[in-house]
Structures are given as C-alpha cells and as structure tokens.
Amino acid sequence: MQLPPQVTPRAFERLTEIGAAAQGKALRVAVEGGGCSGFQYEITLDDPDGEDLILEGAGEKVVVDQVSLPFLSGAVIDFTEELIGARFVINNPNATSSCGCGTSFSM
C-alpha cells in the first residue's frame, strides 16, 4: 500500500521564509536514477504540474511527480539547520542505505 509523503511544519515554514508561494513556486521533490547509491533526490523550486501530488500547508506547496511517488511512499520531507549547513532532507523508510550527503539512496 502506497502512503503519501508527509511534510513537516518546519519545511513549510522554510518555504515561507524563502517566499516560494509569493513567487508562484512550489518545492518539487523528485527521485532520479544516479548518485553514489543508485537513486538521488532532486529538490528544486518549480511550477506545479497538473499530474503532481500537491501537499499544502501554511500557504505553501510541496509537489511530487507520479513517477517519484512510489519511491517516496511514507517519507517525511523536513528542513534542518546544522553546523554544516541548512537544507531540506528526506527521511525515507523505503531506503535501505544512503550516502553521507543524504541526497543519494538505494532501495
């Protein structure tokens, strides 16, 4: 059974801080082949597409394309600020391993 990804309030807050909705943009989270572990996350500000899953909160949108949805089933999209930098992160229960950078994973 495929569960939709979830977005934390902290991730929506960060989108508000960078003015995504004010620019007419949404945070696009996609999965592509490549990276050091087989798959990698592509996270960009983009225009929503008519076939995207749209997750909304705090006046902001996060979109996931239909091809990426199975790879992100039950995942949590968050934003973190650490000593090494600030970034959006994906906590994906489907990933069997991931690389140190957090953008590449295997299933």
Side-chain angles (χ1 to χ4, degrees):
M1 180 175 170
Q2 187 171 306
L3 299 172
Q6 302 295 311
V7 182
T8 65
R10 185 172 34 208
F12 282 126
E13 288 171 17
R14 180 62 180 153
L15 287 172
T16 299
E17 289 171 6
I18 62 177
Q23 300 172 49
K25 302 290 183 182
L27 183 74
R28 178 171 298 282
V29 178
V31 174
E32 298 180 349
C36 54
S37 296
F39 296 100
Q40 63 187 5
Y41 299 113
E42 182 72 26
I43 301 173
T44 59
L45 287 181
D46 196 9
D47 297 314
D49 183 292
E51 299 200 10
D52 289 333
L53 170 69
I54 299 175
L55 306 164
E56 296 185 72
E60 301 291 340
K61 294 179 182 178
V62 174
V63 296
V64 179
D65 64 84
Q66 294 297 315
V67 173
S68 299
L69 269 178
F71 298 100
L72 295 169
S73 177
V76 176
I77 301 162
D78 196 5
F79 183 79
T80 184
E81 293 184 74
E82 301 170 347
L83 289 175
I84 59 172
R87 63 190 172 113
F88 288 98
V89 294
I90 312 295
N91 297 312
N92 191 340
N94 305 302
T96 56
S97 66
S98 63
C99 67
C101 68
T103 62
S104 181
F105 67 100
S106 63
M107 292 181 79

